[in-house]
Amino acid sequence: MSRLDSFINRMSAQRDLLNHVRDNLVLPEAGEVFEIGLGNGRTYSHLRENFPGRRVIAFDRKLASHASATPAANDFVEGEIRETGQAYLGRQAALVHADIGTGYDDKDAITLTWLPQMVSGMLANGGVAVSGLPLDHPDLELLPRLPSIAEGRYFHYRRR
Ligand code: SAM
């Protein structure tokens, strides 16, 4: 598969899953949305549009989003998420979206030493995680893959 095809698949999977959460899953009534890896702000923009009424807080090591998808200063957390995220454990988020995979197995393996625990710790019971990397954690129940998403491409979980 070309890198272009792979990129398009990732974008489609993100949209399909975030729309699926919006349309078909019940989220905790209160609770913020966390965007782990703001990047260009595309999925942040989608979260803002599709989960109105919820505060969306974005994390990244640096602010580099498009001007139209840049969070207010108090909704952006700058720095290494492994460190900055610690202050958001127990925050009872309703939804966490994590898009910090690199496509390099060795780098992603390091991320996976801390990301599942962090996402689980950020979520309220019944909250949902959507992630490009698998989040193997006893408190995160893997939800069935959508037919439109290839095996191993994108994952979603319910916090037990
Ligand atoms: N979903 C975003 C979008 O739609 O524009 C793209 C996210 S991009 C693939 C990943 C982002 O996560 C990058 O901007 C990178 O700087 C950030 N990132 C990755 N690992 C990180 C870490 N450990 N701490 C802080 N930021 C990280």
Side-chain angles (χ1 to χ4, degrees):
M1 181 189 292
S2 73
R3 287 189 46 74
L4 178 61
D5 285 334
S6 174
F7 178 77
I8 291 168
N9 284 350
R10 188 168 121 251
M11 299 298 102
S12 302
Q14 290 175 339
R15 187 181 55 187
D16 288 357
L17 262 180
L18 294 176
N19 289 354
H20 171 66
V21 174
R22 177 198 64 197
D23 295 340
N24 302 314
L25 300 188
V26 177
L27 293 176
E29 208 167 306
E32 296 155 326
V33 174
F34 291 172
E35 169 75 322
I36 297 191
L38 174 65
N40 183 271
R42 292 186 188 97
T43 47
Y44 170 77
S45 153
H46 202 70
L47 289 166
R48 247 187 354 194
E49 278 191 27
N50 287 282
F51 297 90
R54 295 190 191 261
R55 183 178 179 194
V56 184
I57 300 178
F59 300 75
D60 207 298
R61 55 173 61 104
K62 62 182 184 330
L63 185 59
S65 51
H66 188 271
S68 67
T70 293
N74 62 347
D75 289 337
F76 177 66
V77 181
E78 185 166 14
E80 287 300 311
I81 295 160
R82 184 179 189 168
E83 289 147 27
T84 60
Q86 300 295 333
Y88 292 81
L89 297 176
R91 187 74 170 236
Q92 308 283 314
L95 172 63
V96 175
H97 172 235
D99 181 22
I100 58 171
T102 63
Y104 293 99
D105 289 347
D106 53 342
K107 290 184 180 160
D108 291 345
I110 294 170
T111 301
L112 286 172
T113 62
W114 56 268
L115 184 65
Q117 177 73 29
M118 176 162 287
V119 171
S120 173
M122 288 171 160
L123 281 169
N125 291 344
V128 170
V130 174
S131 174
L133 292 175
L135 301 176
D136 187 12
H137 188 278
D139 292 336
L140 296 175
E141 179 195 358
L142 179 65
L143 297 174
R145 180 171 62 86
L146 300 188
S148 63
I149 298 177
E151 184 88 45
R153 162 55 66 189
Y154 234 79
F155 308 87
H156 66 314
Y157 302 84
R158 176 82 75 181
R159 171 76 155 85
R160 295 182 212 274

mmCIF file of all heavy atoms in Angstrom, residues 7 10-11 14 35-45 59-66 69 77-84 97-102 111 114 154, ligand 1:
data_model
loop_
_atom_site.group_PDB
_atom_site.id
_atom_site.type_symbol
_atom_site.label_atom_id
_atom_site.label_comp_id
_atom_site.label_asym_id
_atom_site.label_seq_id
_atom_site.Cartn_x
_atom_site.Cartn_y
_atom_site.Cartn_z
ATOM 1 N N PHE A 7 -2.222 7.073 4.310
ATOM 2 C CA PHE A 7 -2.625 8.349 4.918
ATOM 3 C C PHE A 7 -4.137 8.551 4.786
ATOM 4 O O PHE A 7 -4.823 8.898 5.756
ATOM 5 C CB PHE A 7 -1.862 9.490 4.233
ATOM 6 C CG PHE A 7 -2.229 10.853 4.741
ATOM 7 C CD1 PHE A 7 -1.748 11.315 5.964
ATOM 8 C CD2 PHE A 7 -3.044 11.698 3.998
ATOM 9 C CE1 PHE A 7 -2.088 12.575 6.430
ATOM 10 C CE2 PHE A 7 -3.385 12.956 4.457
ATOM 11 C CZ PHE A 7 -2.912 13.395 5.684
ATOM 12 N N ARG A 10 -6.000 6.425 7.123
ATOM 13 C CA ARG A 10 -5.966 6.914 8.511
ATOM 14 C C ARG A 10 -6.964 8.045 8.706
ATOM 15 O O ARG A 10 -7.705 8.081 9.680
ATOM 16 C CB ARG A 10 -4.544 7.364 8.881
ATOM 17 C CG ARG A 10 -4.419 7.689 10.348
ATOM 18 C CD ARG A 10 -2.974 7.859 10.798
ATOM 19 N NE ARG A 10 -2.777 9.182 11.352
ATOM 20 C CZ ARG A 10 -2.088 10.151 10.778
ATOM 21 N NH1 ARG A 10 -1.465 9.954 9.646
ATOM 22 N NH2 ARG A 10 -1.977 11.327 11.346
ATOM 23 N N MET A 11 -6.985 8.980 7.758
ATOM 24 C CA MET A 11 -7.922 10.116 7.871
ATOM 25 C C MET A 11 -9.369 9.625 7.884
ATOM 26 O O MET A 11 -10.199 10.085 8.673
ATOM 27 C CB MET A 11 -7.757 11.080 6.679
ATOM 28 C CG MET A 11 -6.397 11.720 6.515
ATOM 29 S SD MET A 11 -5.891 12.753 7.894
ATOM 30 C CE MET A 11 -4.762 11.650 8.734
ATOM 31 N N GLN A 14 -10.237 7.986 11.157
ATOM 32 C CA GLN A 14 -10.451 8.976 12.224
ATOM 33 C C GLN A 14 -11.864 9.553 12.126
ATOM 34 O O GLN A 14 -12.601 9.604 13.109
ATOM 35 C CB GLN A 14 -9.426 10.111 12.113
ATOM 36 C CG GLN A 14 -8.020 9.689 12.474
ATOM 37 C CD GLN A 14 -7.002 10.792 12.229
ATOM 38 O OE1 GLN A 14 -7.236 11.728 11.459
ATOM 39 N NE2 GLN A 14 -5.862 10.677 12.880
ATOM 40 N N GLU A 35 -7.686 15.958 23.173
ATOM 41 C CA GLU A 35 -7.053 15.660 21.884
ATOM 42 C C GLU A 35 -5.562 15.479 22.146
ATOM 43 O O GLU A 35 -4.834 16.461 22.408
ATOM 44 C CB GLU A 35 -7.308 16.822 20.909
ATOM 45 C CG GLU A 35 -6.501 16.778 19.621
ATOM 46 C CD GLU A 35 -7.001 15.743 18.619
ATOM 47 O OE1 GLU A 35 -7.413 14.662 19.046
ATOM 48 O OE2 GLU A 35 -6.936 16.032 17.413
ATOM 49 N N ILE A 36 -5.097 14.253 22.087
ATOM 50 C CA ILE A 36 -3.690 13.967 22.381
ATOM 51 C C ILE A 36 -2.926 13.953 21.059
ATOM 52 O O ILE A 36 -3.016 12.993 20.287
ATOM 53 C CB ILE A 36 -3.580 12.626 23.144
ATOM 54 C CG1 ILE A 36 -4.302 12.766 24.481
ATOM 55 C CG2 ILE A 36 -2.144 12.211 23.321
ATOM 56 C CD1 ILE A 36 -4.068 11.641 25.439
ATOM 57 N N GLY A 37 -2.216 15.037 20.797
ATOM 58 C CA GLY A 37 -1.534 15.226 19.520
ATOM 59 C C GLY A 37 -2.342 16.168 18.642
ATOM 60 O O GLY A 37 -3.096 15.744 17.762
ATOM 61 N N LEU A 38 -2.181 17.478 18.892
ATOM 62 C CA LEU A 38 -2.966 18.478 18.146
ATOM 63 C C LEU A 38 -2.548 18.536 16.686
ATOM 64 O O LEU A 38 -3.389 18.638 15.796
ATOM 65 C CB LEU A 38 -2.784 19.861 18.801
ATOM 66 C CG LEU A 38 -3.409 21.038 18.063
ATOM 67 C CD1 LEU A 38 -4.935 20.929 18.023
ATOM 68 C CD2 LEU A 38 -2.987 22.365 18.719
ATOM 69 N N GLY A 39 -1.249 18.502 16.426
ATOM 70 C CA GLY A 39 -0.744 18.546 15.050
ATOM 71 C C GLY A 39 -1.298 19.734 14.289
ATOM 72 O O GLY A 39 -1.285 20.867 14.774
ATOM 73 N N ASN A 40 -1.791 19.476 13.094
ATOM 74 C CA ASN A 40 -2.353 20.520 12.242
ATOM 75 C C ASN A 40 -3.715 21.003 12.738
ATOM 76 O O ASN A 40 -4.223 22.035 12.296
ATOM 77 C CB ASN A 40 -2.486 19.956 10.819
ATOM 78 C CG ASN A 40 -2.986 20.978 9.833
ATOM 79 O OD1 ASN A 40 -4.187 21.124 9.645
ATOM 80 N ND2 ASN A 40 -2.079 21.715 9.223
ATOM 81 N N GLY A 41 -4.327 20.224 13.619
ATOM 82 C CA GLY A 41 -5.617 20.629 14.186
ATOM 83 C C GLY A 41 -6.821 20.089 13.441
ATOM 84 O O GLY A 41 -7.957 20.480 13.717
ATOM 85 N N ARG A 42 -6.598 19.154 12.505
ATOM 86 C CA ARG A 42 -7.751 18.660 11.721
ATOM 87 C C ARG A 42 -8.733 17.904 12.608
ATOM 88 O O ARG A 42 -9.936 18.174 12.568
ATOM 89 C CB ARG A 42 -7.269 17.752 10.583
ATOM 90 C CG ARG A 42 -6.496 18.474 9.506
ATOM 91 C CD ARG A 42 -6.177 17.542 8.339
ATOM 92 N NE ARG A 42 -5.284 18.199 7.409
ATOM 93 C CZ ARG A 42 -3.967 18.033 7.414
ATOM 94 N NH1 ARG A 42 -3.401 17.230 8.278
ATOM 95 N NH2 ARG A 42 -3.221 18.674 6.537
ATOM 96 N N THR A 43 -8.234 16.963 13.365
ATOM 97 C CA THR A 43 -9.175 16.202 14.207
ATOM 98 C C THR A 43 -9.650 17.070 15.375
ATOM 99 O O THR A 43 -10.784 16.915 15.830
ATOM 100 C CB THR A 43 -8.570 14.873 14.700
ATOM 101 O OG1 THR A 43 -7.252 15.093 15.202
ATOM 102 C CG2 THR A 43 -8.513 13.855 13.570
ATOM 103 N N TYR A 44 -8.824 17.998 15.825
ATOM 104 C CA TYR A 44 -9.279 18.933 16.868
ATOM 105 C C TYR A 44 -10.489 19.715 16.357
ATOM 106 O O TYR A 44 -11.500 19.856 17.057
ATOM 107 C CB TYR A 44 -8.128 19.887 17.242
ATOM 108 C CG TYR A 44 -8.574 21.019 18.121
ATOM 109 C CD1 TYR A 44 -8.799 20.814 19.477
ATOM 110 C CD2 TYR A 44 -8.792 22.289 17.592
ATOM 111 C CE1 TYR A 44 -9.233 21.859 20.292
ATOM 112 C CE2 TYR A 44 -9.221 23.326 18.392
ATOM 113 C CZ TYR A 44 -9.434 23.107 19.738
ATOM 114 O OH TYR A 44 -9.871 24.134 20.539
ATOM 115 N N SER A 45 -10.386 20.198 15.122
ATOM 116 C CA SER A 45 -11.479 20.953 14.518
ATOM 117 C C SER A 45 -12.735 20.077 14.421
ATOM 118 O O SER A 45 -13.857 20.520 14.694
ATOM 119 C CB SER A 45 -11.008 21.432 13.130
ATOM 120 O OG SER A 45 -12.067 21.615 12.273
ATOM 121 N N PHE A 59 -3.313 18.616 23.436
ATOM 122 C CA PHE A 59 -1.944 18.446 23.938
ATOM 123 C C PHE A 59 -0.997 18.292 22.751
ATOM 124 O O PHE A 59 -1.307 17.578 21.790
ATOM 125 C CB PHE A 59 -1.842 17.172 24.794
ATOM 126 C CG PHE A 59 -2.731 17.149 26.009
ATOM 127 C CD1 PHE A 59 -4.098 16.923 25.897
ATOM 128 C CD2 PHE A 59 -2.195 17.325 27.274
ATOM 129 C CE1 PHE A 59 -4.918 16.899 27.014
ATOM 130 C CE2 PHE A 59 -3.002 17.302 28.402
ATOM 131 C CZ PHE A 59 -4.363 17.089 28.273
ATOM 132 N N ASP A 60 0.147 18.915 22.836
ATOM 133 C CA ASP A 60 1.206 18.679 21.837
ATOM 134 C C ASP A 60 2.510 19.251 22.383
ATOM 135 O O ASP A 60 2.496 20.139 23.244
ATOM 136 C CB ASP A 60 0.868 19.350 20.486
ATOM 137 C CG ASP A 60 1.534 18.639 19.310
ATOM 138 O OD1 ASP A 60 2.783 18.592 19.260
ATOM 139 O OD2 ASP A 60 0.813 18.120 18.455
ATOM 140 N N ARG A 61 3.590 18.761 21.835
ATOM 141 C CA ARG A 61 4.886 19.288 22.308
ATOM 142 C C ARG A 61 5.124 20.698 21.792
ATOM 143 O O ARG A 61 5.905 21.449 22.360
ATOM 144 C CB ARG A 61 6.040 18.358 21.953
ATOM 145 C CG ARG A 61 6.183 17.995 20.502
ATOM 146 C CD ARG A 61 7.465 17.201 20.271
ATOM 147 N NE ARG A 61 7.510 15.957 21.005
ATOM 148 C CZ ARG A 61 7.312 14.740 20.488
ATOM 149 N NH1 ARG A 61 7.071 14.606 19.189
ATOM 150 N NH2 ARG A 61 7.375 13.668 21.230
ATOM 151 N N LYS A 62 4.424 21.039 20.683
ATOM 152 C CA LYS A 62 4.533 22.424 20.192
ATOM 153 C C LYS A 62 3.247 22.801 19.472
ATOM 154 O O LYS A 62 2.546 21.937 18.939
ATOM 155 C CB LYS A 62 5.730 22.582 19.251
ATOM 156 C CG LYS A 62 5.641 21.735 18.016
ATOM 157 C CD LYS A 62 6.864 21.906 17.156
ATOM 158 C CE LYS A 62 6.816 21.151 15.830
ATOM 159 N NZ LYS A 62 6.066 19.912 15.743
ATOM 160 N N LEU A 63 2.959 24.085 19.471
ATOM 161 C CA LEU A 63 1.744 24.555 18.805
ATOM 162 C C LEU A 63 2.046 24.782 17.331
ATOM 163 O O LEU A 63 2.879 25.632 16.985
ATOM 164 C CB LEU A 63 1.278 25.860 19.466
ATOM 165 C CG LEU A 63 -0.046 26.438 18.983
ATOM 166 C CD1 LEU A 63 -1.193 25.452 19.199
ATOM 167 C CD2 LEU A 63 -0.347 27.745 19.693
ATOM 168 N N ALA A 64 1.403 24.017 16.454
ATOM 169 C CA ALA A 64 1.654 24.153 15.019
ATOM 170 C C ALA A 64 0.370 23.937 14.226
ATOM 171 O O ALA A 64 0.405 23.510 13.078
ATOM 172 C CB ALA A 64 2.715 23.128 14.584
ATOM 173 N N SER A 65 -0.760 24.246 14.834
ATOM 174 C CA SER A 65 -2.034 23.999 14.164
ATOM 175 C C SER A 65 -2.386 25.144 13.221
ATOM 176 O O SER A 65 -1.889 26.271 13.368
ATOM 177 C CB SER A 65 -3.139 23.826 15.212
ATOM 178 O OG SER A 65 -3.121 24.887 16.127
ATOM 179 N N HIS A 66 -3.268 24.841 12.270
ATOM 180 C CA HIS A 66 -3.789 25.872 11.385
ATOM 181 C C HIS A 66 -4.503 26.928 12.234
ATOM 182 O O HIS A 66 -5.130 26.598 13.256
ATOM 183 C CB HIS A 66 -4.773 25.234 10.397
ATOM 184 C CG HIS A 66 -5.229 26.167 9.330
ATOM 185 N ND1 HIS A 66 -6.338 26.970 9.482
ATOM 186 C CD2 HIS A 66 -4.719 26.435 8.103
ATOM 187 C CE1 HIS A 66 -6.494 27.690 8.378
ATOM 188 N NE2 HIS A 66 -5.528 27.378 7.537
ATOM 189 N N ALA A 69 -7.874 26.294 13.502
ATOM 190 C CA ALA A 69 -8.049 25.132 14.378
ATOM 191 C C ALA A 69 -7.063 25.209 15.546
ATOM 192 O O ALA A 69 -6.482 24.201 15.955
ATOM 193 C CB ALA A 69 -7.850 23.841 13.589
ATOM 194 N N VAL A 77 -2.209 22.471 25.939
ATOM 195 C CA VAL A 77 -1.203 22.061 26.926
ATOM 196 C C VAL A 77 0.072 21.696 26.166
ATOM 197 O O VAL A 77 0.110 20.714 25.419
ATOM 198 C CB VAL A 77 -1.710 20.858 27.753
ATOM 199 C CG1 VAL A 77 -0.678 20.458 28.794
ATOM 200 C CG2 VAL A 77 -3.055 21.185 28.403
ATOM 201 N N GLU A 78 1.091 22.517 26.343
ATOM 202 C CA GLU A 78 2.322 22.357 25.568
ATOM 203 C C GLU A 78 3.356 21.541 26.337
ATOM 204 O O GLU A 78 3.547 21.757 27.538
ATOM 205 C CB GLU A 78 2.902 23.739 25.245
ATOM 206 C CG GLU A 78 4.113 23.670 24.341
ATOM 207 C CD GLU A 78 4.453 25.032 23.757
ATOM 208 O OE1 GLU A 78 3.928 26.051 24.251
ATOM 209 O OE2 GLU A 78 5.242 25.063 22.806
ATOM 210 N N GLY A 79 4.003 20.642 25.616
ATOM 211 C CA GLY A 79 5.075 19.864 26.234
ATOM 212 C C GLY A 79 4.926 18.390 25.921
ATOM 213 O O GLY A 79 4.048 17.983 25.159
ATOM 214 N N GLU A 80 5.808 17.603 26.488
ATOM 215 C CA GLU A 80 5.766 16.150 26.311
ATOM 216 C C GLU A 80 4.557 15.599 27.060
ATOM 217 O O GLU A 80 4.460 15.770 28.284
ATOM 218 C CB GLU A 80 7.052 15.519 26.830
ATOM 219 C CG GLU A 80 8.247 15.754 25.945
ATOM 220 C CD GLU A 80 8.032 15.176 24.529
ATOM 221 O OE1 GLU A 80 7.624 14.013 24.402
ATOM 222 O OE2 GLU A 80 8.258 15.924 23.555
ATOM 223 N N ILE A 81 3.663 14.950 26.314
ATOM 224 C CA ILE A 81 2.396 14.507 26.906
ATOM 225 C C ILE A 81 2.625 13.543 28.064
ATOM 226 O O ILE A 81 1.866 13.533 29.034
ATOM 227 C CB ILE A 81 1.503 13.882 25.811
ATOM 228 C CG1 ILE A 81 1.123 14.954 24.788
ATOM 229 C CG2 ILE A 81 0.261 13.243 26.408
ATOM 230 C CD1 ILE A 81 0.667 14.428 23.445
ATOM 231 N N ARG A 82 3.673 12.753 27.965
ATOM 232 C CA ARG A 82 3.976 11.819 29.057
ATOM 233 C C ARG A 82 4.099 12.570 30.385
ATOM 234 O O ARG A 82 3.756 12.054 31.440
ATOM 235 C CB ARG A 82 5.284 11.098 28.735
ATOM 236 C CG ARG A 82 5.659 10.053 29.732
ATOM 237 C CD ARG A 82 6.943 9.355 29.343
ATOM 238 N NE ARG A 82 7.183 8.212 30.181
ATOM 239 C CZ ARG A 82 8.085 7.286 29.940
ATOM 240 N NH1 ARG A 82 8.834 7.360 28.854
ATOM 241 N NH2 ARG A 82 8.249 6.275 30.752
ATOM 242 N N GLU A 83 4.593 13.826 30.298
ATOM 243 C CA GLU A 83 4.738 14.631 31.520
ATOM 244 C C GLU A 83 3.523 15.535 31.752
ATOM 245 O O GLU A 83 2.956 15.559 32.838
ATOM 246 C CB GLU A 83 6.004 15.485 31.419
ATOM 247 C CG GLU A 83 7.276 14.658 31.525
ATOM 248 C CD GLU A 83 8.423 15.208 30.693
ATOM 249 O OE1 GLU A 83 8.460 16.423 30.449
ATOM 250 O OE2 GLU A 83 9.281 14.404 30.281
ATOM 251 N N THR A 84 3.104 16.260 30.706
ATOM 252 C CA THR A 84 2.003 17.225 30.896
ATOM 253 C C THR A 84 0.689 16.526 31.216
ATOM 254 O O THR A 84 -0.159 17.084 31.918
ATOM 255 C CB THR A 84 1.806 18.101 29.646
ATOM 256 O OG1 THR A 84 1.496 17.250 28.532
ATOM 257 C CG2 THR A 84 3.046 18.914 29.324
ATOM 258 N N HIS A 97 -9.106 11.336 22.315
ATOM 259 C CA HIS A 97 -8.626 10.907 21.005
ATOM 260 C C HIS A 97 -7.112 11.051 21.000
ATOM 261 O O HIS A 97 -6.580 12.127 21.303
ATOM 262 C CB HIS A 97 -9.232 11.771 19.881
ATOM 263 C CG HIS A 97 -8.611 11.491 18.548
ATOM 264 N ND1 HIS A 97 -8.042 12.459 17.765
ATOM 265 C CD2 HIS A 97 -8.438 10.311 17.878
ATOM 266 C CE1 HIS A 97 -7.566 11.899 16.660
ATOM 267 N NE2 HIS A 97 -7.799 10.602 16.712
ATOM 268 N N ALA A 98 -6.422 9.974 20.656
ATOM 269 C CA ALA A 98 -4.957 9.999 20.636
ATOM 270 C C ALA A 98 -4.456 9.657 19.244
ATOM 271 O O ALA A 98 -4.731 8.571 18.723
ATOM 272 C CB ALA A 98 -4.406 9.004 21.662
ATOM 273 N N ASP A 99 -3.721 10.586 18.664
ATOM 274 C CA ASP A 99 -3.165 10.387 17.318
ATOM 275 C C ASP A 99 -1.678 10.720 17.372
ATOM 276 O O ASP A 99 -1.231 11.726 16.819
ATOM 277 C CB ASP A 99 -3.913 11.282 16.319
ATOM 278 C CG ASP A 99 -3.403 11.118 14.888
ATOM 279 O OD1 ASP A 99 -2.798 10.069 14.579
ATOM 280 O OD2 ASP A 99 -3.619 12.045 14.074
ATOM 281 N N ILE A 100 -0.923 9.883 18.074
ATOM 282 C CA ILE A 100 0.511 10.174 18.213
ATOM 283 C C ILE A 100 1.378 9.001 17.744
ATOM 284 O O ILE A 100 2.557 8.927 18.100
ATOM 285 C CB ILE A 100 0.899 10.624 19.650
ATOM 286 C CG1 ILE A 100 0.533 9.577 20.701
ATOM 287 C CG2 ILE A 100 0.262 11.977 19.974
ATOM 288 C CD1 ILE A 100 1.112 9.912 22.091
ATOM 289 N N GLY A 101 0.787 8.130 16.935
ATOM 290 C CA GLY A 101 1.612 7.085 16.323
ATOM 291 C C GLY A 101 2.537 7.700 15.282
ATOM 292 O O GLY A 101 2.205 8.724 14.676
ATOM 293 N N THR A 102 3.691 7.078 15.091
ATOM 294 C CA THR A 102 4.668 7.629 14.150
ATOM 295 C C THR A 102 4.847 6.776 12.898
ATOM 296 O O THR A 102 5.472 7.209 11.932
ATOM 297 C CB THR A 102 6.051 7.737 14.824
ATOM 298 O OG1 THR A 102 6.474 6.409 15.169
ATOM 299 C CG2 THR A 102 6.001 8.617 16.060
ATOM 300 N N THR A 111 6.182 4.835 23.204
ATOM 301 C CA THR A 111 4.923 5.535 23.545
ATOM 302 C C THR A 111 3.969 4.581 24.265
ATOM 303 O O THR A 111 3.292 4.964 25.231
ATOM 304 C CB THR A 111 4.269 6.079 22.259
ATOM 305 O OG1 THR A 111 5.187 6.975 21.636
ATOM 306 C CG2 THR A 111 2.958 6.793 22.549
ATOM 307 N N TRP A 114 3.596 4.048 28.137
ATOM 308 C CA TRP A 114 2.899 4.959 29.057
ATOM 309 C C TRP A 114 1.507 5.409 28.578
ATOM 310 O O TRP A 114 0.669 5.801 29.392
ATOM 311 C CB TRP A 114 3.760 6.206 29.338
ATOM 312 C CG TRP A 114 4.187 6.966 28.102
ATOM 313 C CD1 TRP A 114 5.349 6.780 27.402
ATOM 314 C CD2 TRP A 114 3.464 8.001 27.414
ATOM 315 N NE1 TRP A 114 5.386 7.630 26.310
ATOM 316 C CE2 TRP A 114 4.239 8.404 26.300
ATOM 317 C CE3 TRP A 114 2.246 8.631 27.631
ATOM 318 C CZ2 TRP A 114 3.832 9.386 25.414
ATOM 319 C CZ3 TRP A 114 1.828 9.625 26.741
ATOM 320 C CH2 TRP A 114 2.626 9.993 25.647
ATOM 321 N N TYR A 154 -7.124 1.662 13.334
ATOM 322 C CA TYR A 154 -7.574 2.606 14.358
ATOM 323 C C TYR A 154 -8.449 1.836 15.331
ATOM 324 O O TYR A 154 -9.102 0.859 14.947
ATOM 325 C CB TYR A 154 -8.376 3.758 13.715
ATOM 326 C CG TYR A 154 -7.836 5.116 14.091
ATOM 327 C CD1 TYR A 154 -6.721 5.646 13.469
ATOM 328 C CD2 TYR A 154 -8.441 5.868 15.110
ATOM 329 C CE1 TYR A 154 -6.224 6.895 13.833
ATOM 330 C CE2 TYR A 154 -7.946 7.114 15.474
ATOM 331 C CZ TYR A 154 -6.836 7.615 14.835
ATOM 332 O OH TYR A 154 -6.345 8.847 15.203
HETATM 333 N N1 SAM B 1 -4.639 14.491 14.650
HETATM 334 C C1 SAM B 1 -3.828 15.627 14.241
HETATM 335 C C2 SAM B 1 -4.503 16.365 13.115
HETATM 336 O O1 SAM B 1 -5.604 15.947 12.707
HETATM 337 O O2 SAM B 1 -3.984 17.376 12.646
HETATM 338 C C3 SAM B 1 -2.449 15.168 13.809
HETATM 339 C C4 SAM B 1 -1.609 14.684 14.929
HETATM 340 S S1 SAM B 1 0.060 14.377 14.428
HETATM 341 C C5 SAM B 1 -0.027 12.863 13.620
HETATM 342 C C6 SAM B 1 0.818 13.977 15.951
HETATM 343 C C7 SAM B 1 1.153 15.162 16.813
HETATM 344 O O3 SAM B 1 1.431 14.674 18.113
HETATM 345 C C8 SAM B 1 2.367 15.931 16.360
HETATM 346 O O4 SAM B 1 2.031 17.290 16.241
HETATM 347 C C9 SAM B 1 3.411 15.709 17.457
HETATM 348 O O5 SAM B 1 4.151 16.867 17.766
HETATM 349 C C10 SAM B 1 2.550 15.329 18.637
HETATM 350 N N2 SAM B 1 3.202 14.374 19.542
HETATM 351 C C11 SAM B 1 3.543 13.095 19.272
HETATM 352 N N3 SAM B 1 4.069 12.508 20.348
HETATM 353 C C12 SAM B 1 4.055 13.437 21.341
HETATM 354 C C13 SAM B 1 4.466 13.446 22.694
HETATM 355 N N4 SAM B 1 5.019 12.350 23.249
HETATM 356 N N5 SAM B 1 4.320 14.569 23.418
HETATM 357 C C14 SAM B 1 3.797 15.686 22.841
HETATM 358 N N6 SAM B 1 3.368 15.735 21.569
HETATM 359 C C15 SAM B 1 3.503 14.631 20.821
#
